[in-house]
Amino acid sequence: MTTNTERPGSLTKEQLEQYNREGYLVLEDLLDDQDMEAPRRAMSEKVTMIANELYEGGLVQDKLEGEPFQYRLAKLFSGLTDKDFLKYGRGWRDRIEGYYHLMSNPKILDAVESLIGDEIFSSPVYNVRPKVPGVAAGAVPWHQDKSYWPDANANPVITVWISFVDATLENGCLHIKPRSQNKKLLEWHAETYSGTGYTALHESQLGKRPTVALPVKAGTAILFNDRLLHMSTPNNSDHVRWSVDLRYQPTDQDPMPQHGVGFLAHSSKFPERVATLEDWLAGRPEHEG
Ligand SMILES: O=C(O)CCC(=O)C(=O)O
């Protein structure tokens, strides 16, 4: 990756062209271990809360405290049901400190700024995704993100998807259809036959564009347009495919309050209004993902 050394996340002209033409961009190794430390700690804290609940509820006999990040949640749920897992939501939006540091990471904001300018709102629609082996709703059907925000018709909402372990074909990496962002929205979100609450497009709606699988290393970000067709496959491995999908939009667009509370992540005009950690932690709780 060619980078601007002062603003390590800023996109080059070639990267901007690739994003605009293909509808997505892979930024290999955008985050390093230090960037990932706080969000990983936040994920682990949540897993500890879940382990405590499962233990107190008699569902597990061991909280598996010594298990590595990648394995603990998978092992906790290995003898349990989909329902036990989905009680905690298919994606998480907890207000734990490490997520604020992730969403405010300057490398991510630099990349987003290259696409939408420097007045940046961090959307309430973000998900921490522990894709656990064998759980329904781990695989995500084909969809366009825009189907979830009918209120934001003109919004250029950028999704920043980041893997926190190596995402592979086996553990269910992202798959996309390049250039499909130029299509009109195929369907608005509605509860579907899948029963998972996901928008699920039918094969017949997808057109003839080839599918590209995007296995990536931990710390890699995939930026994509909110009309780009994408999905992910089931996790057939023995570990959790940890990822996050964050969303950013310009501040002059609808902040989608019905999805929860977002925050001002960057502003050149009003830097004093950018949300601090304390502001973010005080936000009202968001709906379950
Ligand atoms: O992480 C996944 O498996 C799917 C992500 C996704 O669909 C999204 O970010 O919109």
Side-chain angles (χ1 to χ4, degrees), residues 127 129 131 138 140-141 143 145 159 161 172-174 224 230-232 241 243 245 247:
N127 298 298
R129 280 184 203 258
K131 193 196 276 206
V140 178
H143 67 284
D145 280 356
T159 294
W161 186 98
C173 64
L174 215 56
F224 58 90
H230 61 287
M231 62 93 160
S232 73
R241 193 222 65 186
S243 67
D245 37 275
R247 292 182 179 78

mmCIF file with all atom_site columns, all heavy atoms in Angstrom, residues 127 129 131 138 140-141 143 145 159 161 172-174 224 230-232 241 243 245 247, ligand 1:
data_model
loop_
_atom_site.group_PDB
_atom_site.id
_atom_site.type_symbol
_atom_site.label_atom_id
_atom_site.label_alt_id
_atom_site.label_comp_id
_atom_site.label_asym_id
_atom_site.label_entity_id
_atom_site.label_seq_id
_atom_site.pdbx_PDB_ins_code
_atom_site.Cartn_x
_atom_site.Cartn_y
_atom_site.Cartn_z
_atom_site.occupancy
_atom_site.B_iso_or_equiv
_atom_site.pdbx_formal_charge
_atom_site.auth_seq_id
_atom_site.auth_comp_id
_atom_site.auth_asym_id
_atom_site.auth_atom_id
_atom_site.pdbx_PDB_model_num
ATOM   1   N N   . ASN A 1 127 ? -21.460 -2.627  13.990 1.00 0.00 ? 127 ASN A N   1
ATOM   2   C CA  . ASN A 1 127 ? -21.598 -3.948  14.608 1.00 0.00 ? 127 ASN A CA  1
ATOM   3   C C   . ASN A 1 127 ? -20.249 -4.545  14.933 1.00 0.00 ? 127 ASN A C   1
ATOM   4   O O   . ASN A 1 127 ? -19.343 -4.525  14.094 1.00 0.00 ? 127 ASN A O   1
ATOM   5   C CB  . ASN A 1 127 ? -22.287 -4.931  13.642 1.00 0.00 ? 127 ASN A CB  1
ATOM   6   C CG  . ASN A 1 127 ? -23.686 -4.482  13.281 1.00 0.00 ? 127 ASN A CG  1
ATOM   7   O OD1 . ASN A 1 127 ? -24.549 -4.381  14.144 1.00 0.00 ? 127 ASN A OD1 1
ATOM   8   N ND2 . ASN A 1 127 ? -23.902 -4.175  12.018 1.00 0.00 ? 127 ASN A ND2 1
ATOM   9   N N   . ARG A 1 129 ? -18.890 -8.098  15.312 1.00 0.00 ? 129 ARG A N   1
ATOM   10  C CA  . ARG A 1 129 ? -19.460 -9.384  14.882 1.00 0.00 ? 129 ARG A CA  1
ATOM   11  C C   . ARG A 1 129 ? -18.606 -10.567 15.291 1.00 0.00 ? 129 ARG A C   1
ATOM   12  O O   . ARG A 1 129 ? -17.576 -10.824 14.683 1.00 0.00 ? 129 ARG A O   1
ATOM   13  C CB  . ARG A 1 129 ? -19.573 -9.434  13.359 1.00 0.00 ? 129 ARG A CB  1
ATOM   14  C CG  . ARG A 1 129 ? -20.745 -8.717  12.826 1.00 0.00 ? 129 ARG A CG  1
ATOM   15  C CD  . ARG A 1 129 ? -20.811 -8.921  11.328 1.00 0.00 ? 129 ARG A CD  1
ATOM   16  N NE  . ARG A 1 129 ? -21.567 -7.831  10.757 1.00 0.00 ? 129 ARG A NE  1
ATOM   17  C CZ  . ARG A 1 129 ? -22.838 -7.946  10.373 1.00 0.00 ? 129 ARG A CZ  1
ATOM   18  N NH1 . ARG A 1 129 ? -23.464 -9.095  10.464 1.00 0.00 ? 129 ARG A NH1 1
ATOM   19  N NH2 . ARG A 1 129 ? -23.449 -6.903  9.858  1.00 0.00 ? 129 ARG A NH2 1
ATOM   20  N N   . LYS A 1 131 ? -18.483 -14.011 14.681 1.00 0.00 ? 131 LYS A N   1
ATOM   21  C CA  . LYS A 1 131 ? -19.117 -15.088 13.894 1.00 0.00 ? 131 LYS A CA  1
ATOM   22  C C   . LYS A 1 131 ? -18.623 -16.415 14.447 1.00 0.00 ? 131 LYS A C   1
ATOM   23  O O   . LYS A 1 131 ? -17.476 -16.812 14.242 1.00 0.00 ? 131 LYS A O   1
ATOM   24  C CB  . LYS A 1 131 ? -18.770 -14.948 12.412 1.00 0.00 ? 131 LYS A CB  1
ATOM   25  C CG  . LYS A 1 131 ? -19.666 -15.837 11.551 1.00 0.00 ? 131 LYS A CG  1
ATOM   26  C CD  . LYS A 1 131 ? -19.141 -16.024 10.161 1.00 0.00 ? 131 LYS A CD  1
ATOM   27  C CE  . LYS A 1 131 ? -19.517 -14.902 9.250  1.00 0.00 ? 131 LYS A CE  1
ATOM   28  N NZ  . LYS A 1 131 ? -19.571 -15.343 7.823  1.00 0.00 ? 131 LYS A NZ  1
ATOM   29  N N   . GLY A 1 138 ? -24.742 -16.453 11.450 1.00 0.00 ? 138 GLY A N   1
ATOM   30  C CA  . GLY A 1 138 ? -23.335 -16.157 11.274 1.00 0.00 ? 138 GLY A CA  1
ATOM   31  C C   . GLY A 1 138 ? -23.114 -15.781 9.819  1.00 0.00 ? 138 GLY A C   1
ATOM   32  O O   . GLY A 1 138 ? -22.559 -14.736 9.508  1.00 0.00 ? 138 GLY A O   1
ATOM   33  N N   . VAL A 1 140 ? -24.122 -14.226 6.403  1.00 0.00 ? 140 VAL A N   1
ATOM   34  C CA  . VAL A 1 140 ? -24.980 -13.076 6.102  1.00 0.00 ? 140 VAL A CA  1
ATOM   35  C C   . VAL A 1 140 ? -25.360 -13.146 4.632  1.00 0.00 ? 140 VAL A C   1
ATOM   36  O O   . VAL A 1 140 ? -24.487 -13.228 3.773  1.00 0.00 ? 140 VAL A O   1
ATOM   37  C CB  . VAL A 1 140 ? -24.232 -11.752 6.415  1.00 0.00 ? 140 VAL A CB  1
ATOM   38  C CG1 . VAL A 1 140 ? -25.084 -10.551 6.055  1.00 0.00 ? 140 VAL A CG1 1
ATOM   39  C CG2 . VAL A 1 140 ? -23.843 -11.698 7.893  1.00 0.00 ? 140 VAL A CG2 1
ATOM   40  N N   . PRO A 1 141 ? -26.674 -13.134 4.327  1.00 0.00 ? 141 PRO A N   1
ATOM   41  C CA  . PRO A 1 141 ? -27.089 -13.268 2.924  1.00 0.00 ? 141 PRO A CA  1
ATOM   42  C C   . PRO A 1 141 ? -26.721 -12.042 2.082  1.00 0.00 ? 141 PRO A C   1
ATOM   43  O O   . PRO A 1 141 ? -26.404 -10.983 2.622  1.00 0.00 ? 141 PRO A O   1
ATOM   44  C CB  . PRO A 1 141 ? -28.619 -13.390 3.017  1.00 0.00 ? 141 PRO A CB  1
ATOM   45  C CG  . PRO A 1 141 ? -28.990 -13.309 4.442  1.00 0.00 ? 141 PRO A CG  1
ATOM   46  C CD  . PRO A 1 141 ? -27.783 -12.982 5.255  1.00 0.00 ? 141 PRO A CD  1
ATOM   47  N N   . HIS A 1 143 ? -26.830 -8.714  0.259  1.00 0.00 ? 143 HIS A N   1
ATOM   48  C CA  . HIS A 1 143 ? -27.620 -7.501  0.500  1.00 0.00 ? 143 HIS A CA  1
ATOM   49  C C   . HIS A 1 143 ? -26.816 -6.263  0.137  1.00 0.00 ? 143 HIS A C   1
ATOM   50  O O   . HIS A 1 143 ? -25.610 -6.338  -0.106 1.00 0.00 ? 143 HIS A O   1
ATOM   51  C CB  . HIS A 1 143 ? -28.043 -7.417  1.975  1.00 0.00 ? 143 HIS A CB  1
ATOM   52  C CG  . HIS A 1 143 ? -26.900 -7.202  2.917  1.00 0.00 ? 143 HIS A CG  1
ATOM   53  N ND1 . HIS A 1 143 ? -26.028 -8.200  3.281  1.00 0.00 ? 143 HIS A ND1 1
ATOM   54  C CD2 . HIS A 1 143 ? -26.464 -6.083  3.557  1.00 0.00 ? 143 HIS A CD2 1
ATOM   55  C CE1 . HIS A 1 143 ? -25.113 -7.712  4.104  1.00 0.00 ? 143 HIS A CE1 1
ATOM   56  N NE2 . HIS A 1 143 ? -25.348 -6.427  4.289  1.00 0.00 ? 143 HIS A NE2 1
ATOM   57  N N   . ASP A 1 145 ? -26.123 -2.542  1.979  1.00 0.00 ? 145 ASP A N   1
ATOM   58  C CA  . ASP A 1 145 ? -26.328 -1.930  3.291  1.00 0.00 ? 145 ASP A CA  1
ATOM   59  C C   . ASP A 1 145 ? -27.416 -0.869  3.263  1.00 0.00 ? 145 ASP A C   1
ATOM   60  O O   . ASP A 1 145 ? -28.157 -0.685  4.219  1.00 0.00 ? 145 ASP A O   1
ATOM   61  C CB  . ASP A 1 145 ? -25.022 -1.304  3.812  1.00 0.00 ? 145 ASP A CB  1
ATOM   62  C CG  . ASP A 1 145 ? -24.099 -2.358  4.406  1.00 0.00 ? 145 ASP A CG  1
ATOM   63  O OD1 . ASP A 1 145 ? -24.505 -3.540  4.476  1.00 0.00 ? 145 ASP A OD1 1
ATOM   64  O OD2 . ASP A 1 145 ? -22.980 -2.005  4.809  1.00 0.00 ? 145 ASP A OD2 1
ATOM   65  N N   . THR A 1 159 ? -19.104 2.036   4.556  1.00 0.00 ? 159 THR A N   1
ATOM   66  C CA  . THR A 1 159 ? -18.879 0.958   5.527  1.00 0.00 ? 159 THR A CA  1
ATOM   67  C C   . THR A 1 159 ? -17.372 0.674   5.592  1.00 0.00 ? 159 THR A C   1
ATOM   68  O O   . THR A 1 159 ? -16.703 0.577   4.562  1.00 0.00 ? 159 THR A O   1
ATOM   69  C CB  . THR A 1 159 ? -19.623 -0.327  5.122  1.00 0.00 ? 159 THR A CB  1
ATOM   70  O OG1 . THR A 1 159 ? -21.033 -0.070  5.198  1.00 0.00 ? 159 THR A OG1 1
ATOM   71  C CG2 . THR A 1 159 ? -19.299 -1.494  6.055  1.00 0.00 ? 159 THR A CG2 1
ATOM   72  N N   . TRP A 1 161 ? -15.210 -2.186  7.090  1.00 0.00 ? 161 TRP A N   1
ATOM   73  C CA  . TRP A 1 161 ? -15.268 -3.537  7.665  1.00 0.00 ? 161 TRP A CA  1
ATOM   74  C C   . TRP A 1 161 ? -13.831 -3.929  8.030  1.00 0.00 ? 161 TRP A C   1
ATOM   75  O O   . TRP A 1 161 ? -12.927 -3.835  7.194  1.00 0.00 ? 161 TRP A O   1
ATOM   76  C CB  . TRP A 1 161 ? -15.847 -4.485  6.622  1.00 0.00 ? 161 TRP A CB  1
ATOM   77  C CG  . TRP A 1 161 ? -16.113 -5.882  7.076  1.00 0.00 ? 161 TRP A CG  1
ATOM   78  C CD1 . TRP A 1 161 ? -17.307 -6.384  7.484  1.00 0.00 ? 161 TRP A CD1 1
ATOM   79  C CD2 . TRP A 1 161 ? -15.175 -6.978  7.135  1.00 0.00 ? 161 TRP A CD2 1
ATOM   80  N NE1 . TRP A 1 161 ? -17.169 -7.718  7.812  1.00 0.00 ? 161 TRP A NE1 1
ATOM   81  C CE2 . TRP A 1 161 ? -15.871 -8.102  7.614  1.00 0.00 ? 161 TRP A CE2 1
ATOM   82  C CE3 . TRP A 1 161 ? -13.812 -7.106  6.851  1.00 0.00 ? 161 TRP A CE3 1
ATOM   83  C CZ2 . TRP A 1 161 ? -15.266 -9.339  7.803  1.00 0.00 ? 161 TRP A CZ2 1
ATOM   84  C CZ3 . TRP A 1 161 ? -13.199 -8.337  7.045  1.00 0.00 ? 161 TRP A CZ3 1
ATOM   85  C CH2 . TRP A 1 161 ? -13.929 -9.438  7.510  1.00 0.00 ? 161 TRP A CH2 1
ATOM   86  N N   . GLY A 1 172 ? -15.442 -17.825 6.985  1.00 0.00 ? 172 GLY A N   1
ATOM   87  C CA  . GLY A 1 172 ? -16.566 -16.998 6.533  1.00 0.00 ? 172 GLY A CA  1
ATOM   88  C C   . GLY A 1 172 ? -16.225 -15.555 6.228  1.00 0.00 ? 172 GLY A C   1
ATOM   89  O O   . GLY A 1 172 ? -16.862 -14.632 6.739  1.00 0.00 ? 172 GLY A O   1
ATOM   90  N N   . CYS A 1 173 ? -15.237 -15.363 5.337  1.00 0.00 ? 173 CYS A N   1
ATOM   91  C CA  . CYS A 1 173 ? -14.842 -13.984 4.975  1.00 0.00 ? 173 CYS A CA  1
ATOM   92  C C   . CYS A 1 173 ? -15.945 -13.320 4.134  1.00 0.00 ? 173 CYS A C   1
ATOM   93  O O   . CYS A 1 173 ? -16.918 -13.955 3.735  1.00 0.00 ? 173 CYS A O   1
ATOM   94  C CB  . CYS A 1 173 ? -13.519 -14.005 4.206  1.00 0.00 ? 173 CYS A CB  1
ATOM   95  S SG  . CYS A 1 173 ? -13.610 -14.859 2.628  1.00 0.00 ? 173 CYS A SG  1
ATOM   96  N N   . LEU A 1 174 ? -15.732 -12.060 3.865  1.00 0.00 ? 174 LEU A N   1
ATOM   97  C CA  . LEU A 1 174 ? -16.681 -11.278 3.075  1.00 0.00 ? 174 LEU A CA  1
ATOM   98  C C   . LEU A 1 174 ? -16.570 -11.658 1.591  1.00 0.00 ? 174 LEU A C   1
ATOM   99  O O   . LEU A 1 174 ? -15.478 -11.952 1.105  1.00 0.00 ? 174 LEU A O   1
ATOM   100 C CB  . LEU A 1 174 ? -16.297 -9.804  3.247  1.00 0.00 ? 174 LEU A CB  1
ATOM   101 C CG  . LEU A 1 174 ? -17.381 -8.740  3.288  1.00 0.00 ? 174 LEU A CG  1
ATOM   102 C CD1 . LEU A 1 174 ? -18.404 -9.024  4.368  1.00 0.00 ? 174 LEU A CD1 1
ATOM   103 C CD2 . LEU A 1 174 ? -16.732 -7.371  3.539  1.00 0.00 ? 174 LEU A CD2 1
ATOM   104 N N   . PHE A 1 224 ? -16.405 -0.074  1.740  1.00 0.00 ? 224 PHE A N   1
ATOM   105 C CA  . PHE A 1 224 ? -17.300 -0.267  0.592  1.00 0.00 ? 224 PHE A CA  1
ATOM   106 C C   . PHE A 1 224 ? -18.493 0.670   0.587  1.00 0.00 ? 224 PHE A C   1
ATOM   107 O O   . PHE A 1 224 ? -18.905 1.189   1.628  1.00 0.00 ? 224 PHE A O   1
ATOM   108 C CB  . PHE A 1 224 ? -17.687 -1.741  0.397  1.00 0.00 ? 224 PHE A CB  1
ATOM   109 C CG  . PHE A 1 224 ? -18.375 -2.432  1.541  1.00 0.00 ? 224 PHE A CG  1
ATOM   110 C CD1 . PHE A 1 224 ? -19.750 -2.430  1.647  1.00 0.00 ? 224 PHE A CD1 1
ATOM   111 C CD2 . PHE A 1 224 ? -17.631 -3.131  2.490  1.00 0.00 ? 224 PHE A CD2 1
ATOM   112 C CE1 . PHE A 1 224 ? -20.384 -3.112  2.687  1.00 0.00 ? 224 PHE A CE1 1
ATOM   113 C CE2 . PHE A 1 224 ? -18.261 -3.808  3.536  1.00 0.00 ? 224 PHE A CE2 1
ATOM   114 C CZ  . PHE A 1 224 ? -19.641 -3.795  3.628  1.00 0.00 ? 224 PHE A CZ  1
ATOM   115 N N   . HIS A 1 230 ? -22.985 -7.523  -1.181 1.00 0.00 ? 230 HIS A N   1
ATOM   116 C CA  . HIS A 1 230 ? -22.014 -8.315  -0.421 1.00 0.00 ? 230 HIS A CA  1
ATOM   117 C C   . HIS A 1 230 ? -22.722 -9.330  0.467  1.00 0.00 ? 230 HIS A C   1
ATOM   118 O O   . HIS A 1 230 ? -23.924 -9.210  0.733  1.00 0.00 ? 230 HIS A O   1
ATOM   119 C CB  . HIS A 1 230 ? -21.092 -7.420  0.412  1.00 0.00 ? 230 HIS A CB  1
ATOM   120 C CG  . HIS A 1 230 ? -21.808 -6.588  1.428  1.00 0.00 ? 230 HIS A CG  1
ATOM   121 N ND1 . HIS A 1 230 ? -22.565 -5.496  1.100  1.00 0.00 ? 230 HIS A ND1 1
ATOM   122 C CD2 . HIS A 1 230 ? -21.893 -6.692  2.789  1.00 0.00 ? 230 HIS A CD2 1
ATOM   123 C CE1 . HIS A 1 230 ? -23.082 -4.965  2.188  1.00 0.00 ? 230 HIS A CE1 1
ATOM   124 N NE2 . HIS A 1 230 ? -22.698 -5.670  3.231  1.00 0.00 ? 230 HIS A NE2 1
ATOM   125 N N   . MET A 1 231 ? -21.965 -10.301 0.901  1.00 0.00 ? 231 MET A N   1
ATOM   126 C CA  . MET A 1 231 ? -22.494 -11.343 1.809  1.00 0.00 ? 231 MET A CA  1
ATOM   127 C C   . MET A 1 231 ? -21.302 -11.996 2.496  1.00 0.00 ? 231 MET A C   1
ATOM   128 O O   . MET A 1 231 ? -20.146 -11.720 2.164  1.00 0.00 ? 231 MET A O   1
ATOM   129 C CB  . MET A 1 231 ? -23.309 -12.381 1.022  1.00 0.00 ? 231 MET A CB  1
ATOM   130 C CG  . MET A 1 231 ? -22.544 -13.151 -0.010 1.00 0.00 ? 231 MET A CG  1
ATOM   131 S SD  . MET A 1 231 ? -21.899 -14.720 0.650  1.00 0.00 ? 231 MET A SD  1
ATOM   132 C CE  . MET A 1 231 ? -21.595 -15.650 -0.834 1.00 0.00 ? 231 MET A CE  1
ATOM   133 N N   . SER A 1 232 ? -21.573 -12.867 3.457  1.00 0.00 ? 232 SER A N   1
ATOM   134 C CA  . SER A 1 232 ? -20.483 -13.684 3.996  1.00 0.00 ? 232 SER A CA  1
ATOM   135 C C   . SER A 1 232 ? -20.991 -15.092 4.231  1.00 0.00 ? 232 SER A C   1
ATOM   136 O O   . SER A 1 232 ? -22.187 -15.310 4.455  1.00 0.00 ? 232 SER A O   1
ATOM   137 C CB  . SER A 1 232 ? -19.903 -13.072 5.272  1.00 0.00 ? 232 SER A CB  1
ATOM   138 O OG  . SER A 1 232 ? -20.795 -13.239 6.343  1.00 0.00 ? 232 SER A OG  1
ATOM   139 N N   . ARG A 1 241 ? -14.721 -15.880 13.958 1.00 0.00 ? 241 ARG A N   1
ATOM   140 C CA  . ARG A 1 241 ? -14.268 -14.873 12.995 1.00 0.00 ? 241 ARG A CA  1
ATOM   141 C C   . ARG A 1 241 ? -14.720 -13.516 13.543 1.00 0.00 ? 241 ARG A C   1
ATOM   142 O O   . ARG A 1 241 ? -15.850 -13.105 13.358 1.00 0.00 ? 241 ARG A O   1
ATOM   143 C CB  . ARG A 1 241 ? -14.883 -15.106 11.617 1.00 0.00 ? 241 ARG A CB  1
ATOM   144 C CG  . ARG A 1 241 ? -14.210 -14.288 10.520 1.00 0.00 ? 241 ARG A CG  1
ATOM   145 C CD  . ARG A 1 241 ? -15.171 -13.677 9.526  1.00 0.00 ? 241 ARG A CD  1
ATOM   146 N NE  . ARG A 1 241 ? -16.046 -12.690 10.136 1.00 0.00 ? 241 ARG A NE  1
ATOM   147 C CZ  . ARG A 1 241 ? -17.060 -12.098 9.501  1.00 0.00 ? 241 ARG A CZ  1
ATOM   148 N NH1 . ARG A 1 241 ? -17.344 -12.405 8.268  1.00 0.00 ? 241 ARG A NH1 1
ATOM   149 N NH2 . ARG A 1 241 ? -17.817 -11.198 10.117 1.00 0.00 ? 241 ARG A NH2 1
ATOM   150 N N   . SER A 1 243 ? -14.954 -9.620  13.637 1.00 0.00 ? 243 SER A N   1
ATOM   151 C CA  . SER A 1 243 ? -14.813 -8.447  12.761 1.00 0.00 ? 243 SER A CA  1
ATOM   152 C C   . SER A 1 243 ? -15.683 -7.326  13.301 1.00 0.00 ? 243 SER A C   1
ATOM   153 O O   . SER A 1 243 ? -16.507 -7.547  14.197 1.00 0.00 ? 243 SER A O   1
ATOM   154 C CB  . SER A 1 243 ? -15.257 -8.792  11.335 1.00 0.00 ? 243 SER A CB  1
ATOM   155 O OG  . SER A 1 243 ? -16.651 -9.041  11.333 1.00 0.00 ? 243 SER A OG  1
ATOM   156 N N   . ASP A 1 245 ? -18.037 -3.934  11.649 1.00 0.00 ? 245 ASP A N   1
ATOM   157 C CA  . ASP A 1 245 ? -18.385 -3.089  10.507 1.00 0.00 ? 245 ASP A CA  1
ATOM   158 C C   . ASP A 1 245 ? -18.852 -1.753  11.048 1.00 0.00 ? 245 ASP A C   1
ATOM   159 O O   . ASP A 1 245 ? -19.819 -1.667  11.783 1.00 0.00 ? 245 ASP A O   1
ATOM   160 C CB  . ASP A 1 245 ? -19.392 -3.734  9.552  1.00 0.00 ? 245 ASP A CB  1
ATOM   161 C CG  . ASP A 1 245 ? -20.471 -4.572  10.216 1.00 0.00 ? 245 ASP A CG  1
ATOM   162 O OD1 . ASP A 1 245 ? -20.235 -5.760  10.500 1.00 0.00 ? 245 ASP A OD1 1
ATOM   163 O OD2 . ASP A 1 245 ? -21.556 -4.006  10.466 1.00 0.00 ? 245 ASP A OD2 1
ATOM   164 N N   . ARG A 1 247 ? -19.638 2.492   10.274 1.00 0.00 ? 247 ARG A N   1
ATOM   165 C CA  . ARG A 1 247 ? -20.172 3.307   9.177  1.00 0.00 ? 247 ARG A CA  1
ATOM   166 C C   . ARG A 1 247 ? -19.984 4.782   9.456  1.00 0.00 ? 247 ARG A C   1
ATOM   167 O O   . ARG A 1 247 ? -20.152 5.228   10.590 1.00 0.00 ? 247 ARG A O   1
ATOM   168 C CB  . ARG A 1 247 ? -21.646 2.970   8.934  1.00 0.00 ? 247 ARG A CB  1
ATOM   169 C CG  . ARG A 1 247 ? -21.768 1.574   8.392  1.00 0.00 ? 247 ARG A CG  1
ATOM   170 C CD  . ARG A 1 247 ? -23.115 1.065   8.036  1.00 0.00 ? 247 ARG A CD  1
ATOM   171 N NE  . ARG A 1 247 ? -22.906 -0.290  7.526  1.00 0.00 ? 247 ARG A NE  1
ATOM   172 C CZ  . ARG A 1 247 ? -22.682 -1.346  8.317  1.00 0.00 ? 247 ARG A CZ  1
ATOM   173 N NH1 . ARG A 1 247 ? -22.681 -1.223  9.626  1.00 0.00 ? 247 ARG A NH1 1
ATOM   174 N NH2 . ARG A 1 247 ? -22.451 -2.537  7.779  1.00 0.00 ? 247 ARG A NH2 1
HETATM 175 O O1  . LIG B 2 .   ? -19.235 -9.420  8.528  1.00 0.00 ? 1   LIG B O1  1
HETATM 176 C C1  . LIG B 2 .   ? -20.042 -10.054 7.860  1.00 0.00 ? 1   LIG B C1  1
HETATM 177 O O2  . LIG B 2 .   ? -20.039 -11.276 7.839  1.00 0.00 ? 1   LIG B O2  1
HETATM 178 C C2  . LIG B 2 .   ? -21.060 -9.336  7.051  1.00 0.00 ? 1   LIG B C2  1
HETATM 179 C C3  . LIG B 2 .   ? -20.889 -7.860  7.130  1.00 0.00 ? 1   LIG B C3  1
HETATM 180 C C4  . LIG B 2 .   ? -21.953 -7.093  6.456  1.00 0.00 ? 1   LIG B C4  1
HETATM 181 O O3  . LIG B 2 .   ? -22.837 -7.597  5.851  1.00 0.00 ? 1   LIG B O3  1
HETATM 182 C C5  . LIG B 2 .   ? -21.895 -5.648  6.518  1.00 0.00 ? 1   LIG B C5  1
HETATM 183 O O4  . LIG B 2 .   ? -20.945 -5.097  7.070  1.00 0.00 ? 1   LIG B O4  1
HETATM 184 O O5  . LIG B 2 .   ? -22.825 -5.005  6.013  1.00 0.00 ? 1   LIG B O5  1
#
